[in-house]
Amino acid sequence: MAATEHGPLAGVRVVELAGIGPGPFAAMVLADLGADVVRVDRPGGPGGLKIDPAYDLANRNKRSVLLDLKTEPGQAAVLDLVERADILVEGLRPGVAERLGVGPDACLARNPRLVYGRMTGWGQHGPLADTAGHDIAYIAVTGALGMIGAPDGPPAVPANLLGDYAGGALYLVIGVLAALQHARTSGDGQVVDAAIVDGTAHLTAVIHGMMAAGGWQDRRGANLLDGGSPFYGTYETADGGYMAVGALEPKFYAEFIELLGIAEEAPGRREFDRWGELRALIAARFKQRTREEWTAVFASSDACVAPVLSLREAPGHPHLAARATFVDHGGITQPAPAPRFSATPGSVRRPPARPGADAAEVARDWGVPSFPQEGPP
């Protein structure tokens, strides 16, 4: 079957009520996979971190209209889009969309097949539902943040990747696509309550199982996969770089210590009382060469060792370059859409949407009345 340029979600229409963080990222994923995403921006912007819209990659592959949802014409225009949409994505605080006249009841009354996706940190109900929060707080209360970092230091902050994007945005994508399948088979839309606390907690399911079985200690740096093991962690090199080691299985560990040059002196892999000695031996050896030299030593091996690259360095890694994991579009180097599809690949088709720039085009393509004229964002 010949591949197409449209993506597996071609024909799916999405309305995104402008927000920040995980909501826009979720809508970007849908757009990358071929959905027609119309972002409803509002005068003054959504708040949060301000960057030039030309560089806001969360808005790539989308189109934008500018509407004031505090006005009746703005609300009516959103409902016109909703009538023709498959999915709506919003990331407002609980109750705000309802007060603006575009909550689930109003939208589903207009389009009973609509999937209404709600992206929040705390969820739509619970003691903290109406309070502000950010990624770090959400992952803190789920136990995920407490797992990360050295045992003798504070928890390490994993940017906002774990909560906002893994536990939040990607769970919203899963939810709205599952609900879309249900809507297409039953004719009934529904509301998807995607809370970052729920998704992040869900990510720890396997760890909870290991803890219940006695295979995971509820503290940092004491377990096989959290840096507690000397053959699963990072080590500094002679030039101040780092190498990541993940030689968990015995055969990979054997290759690792052989290539590292410590096979003759390393304690046994399961001599747990000598892990401190093993860690010191590995660290001292890595300090003898540069990151580039160690990268060459372990290249194409099964030792499960890789250089720790910066964001700017990552696109140049030979494997990622060969797979075109990063692409250049509009003068910006950026991650390519993922995952990959053999017959309907996603692609970066459009640069980040400029607020309000696509109103005439969207009105024509979606068959809605012209949008009310708003002032500059």
Side-chain angles (χ1 to χ4, degrees):
M1 181 182 295
T4 71
E5 294 295 329
H6 304 299
L9 296 183
V12 173
R13 285 179 167 177
V14 179
V15 175
E16 175 198 352
L17 303 186
I20 59 173
F25 188 85
M28 182 205 78
V29 173
L30 297 173
D32 283 354
L33 299 181
D36 181 2
V37 177
V38 172
R39 178 177 166 94
V40 179
D41 282 293
R42 56 181 181 265
L49 300 177
K50 300 287 188 180
I51 67 171
D52 185 333
Y55 296 94
D56 192 349
L57 291 179
N59 291 327
R60 72 184 186 188
N61 286 336
K62 303 176 183 178
R63 296 185 288 182
S64 170
V65 300
L66 192 64
L67 296 172
D68 186 350
L69 297 186
K70 295 181 179 179
T71 67
E72 289 186 6
Q75 296 165 11
V78 169
L79 292 176
D80 283 339
L81 290 170
V82 162
E83 185 176 335
R84 296 156 174 82
D86 299 290
I87 298 168
L88 181 143
V89 171
E90 63 95 355
L92 305 170
R93 285 208 202 186
V96 173
E98 285 84 348
R99 292 196 295 273
L100 293 172
V102 292
D105 290 346
C107 288
L108 286 165
R110 191 71 173 265
N111 179 359
R113 300 172 64 92
L114 181 73
V115 173
Y116 195 106
R118 316 199 79 169
M119 182 77 263
T120 60
W122 302 113
Q124 296 298 313
H125 70 276
L128 297 177
D130 294 325
T131 63
H134 283 295
D135 176 292
I136 194 168
Y138 309 138
I139 67 174
V141 301
T142 60
L145 179 61
M147 294 168 51
I148 306 169
D152 55 353
V157 180
N160 66 330
L161 298 176
L162 178 55
D164 280 354
Y165 299 131
L170 296 186
Y171 274 85
L172 177 60
V173 170
I174 292 168
V176 298
L177 292 182
L180 179 62
Q181 169 66 16
H182 175 263
R184 289 186 165 179
T185 57
S186 70
D188 297 325
Q190 63 180 303
V191 178
V192 178
D193 176 5
I196 295 173
V197 289
D198 295 346
T200 304
H202 193 257
L203 290 171
T204 66
V206 172
I207 304 297
H208 275 277
M210 294 173 66
M211 190 164 60
W216 189 277
Q217 298 182 56
D218 193 17
R219 56 192 179 93
R220 280 192 304 284
N223 301 285
L224 191 64
L225 299 174
D226 66 355
S229 161
F231 39 85
Y232 197 88
T234 57
Y235 291 91
E236 188 176 5
T237 56
D239 57 345
Y242 285 87
M243 298 296 290
V245 177
L248 291 174
E249 293 81 358
K251 63 179 181 179
F252 301 149
Y253 173 77
E255 186 165 353
F256 163 61
I257 61 173
E258 183 66 34
L259 291 175
L260 191 64
I262 62 170
E264 298 301 321
E265 51 191 316
R269 176 176 170 276
R270 296 184 63 82
E271 292 184 66
F272 303 120
D273 58 343
R274 299 184 65 189
W275 270 12
E277 178 185 342
L278 177 58
R279 189 186 306 278
L281 183 61
I282 294 172
R285 182 65 176 140
F286 269 119
K287 288 284 284 184
Q288 294 177 11
R289 297 186 185 181
T290 66
R291 189 188 70 177
E292 182 177 357
E293 289 172 329
W294 283 120
T295 299
V297 168
F298 289 103
S300 302
S301 77
D302 279 343
C304 303
V305 177
V308 177
L309 303 182
S310 72
L311 290 173
R312 292 190 184 280
E313 291 175 314
H317 187 277
H319 182 80
L320 304 186
R323 288 181 57 82
T325 298
F326 291 83
V327 297
D328 291 308
H329 190 274
I332 304 175
T333 299
Q334 55 195 281
R340 303 176 186 223
F341 298 83
S342 62
T344 56
S347 62
V348 180
R349 306 177 303 280
R350 302 173 66 104
R354 303 280 186 147
D358 309 298
E361 185 180 284
V362 170
R364 180 199 68 210
D365 292 349
W366 283 48
V368 298
S370 297
F371 296 101
Q373 296 296 312
E374 303 290 352

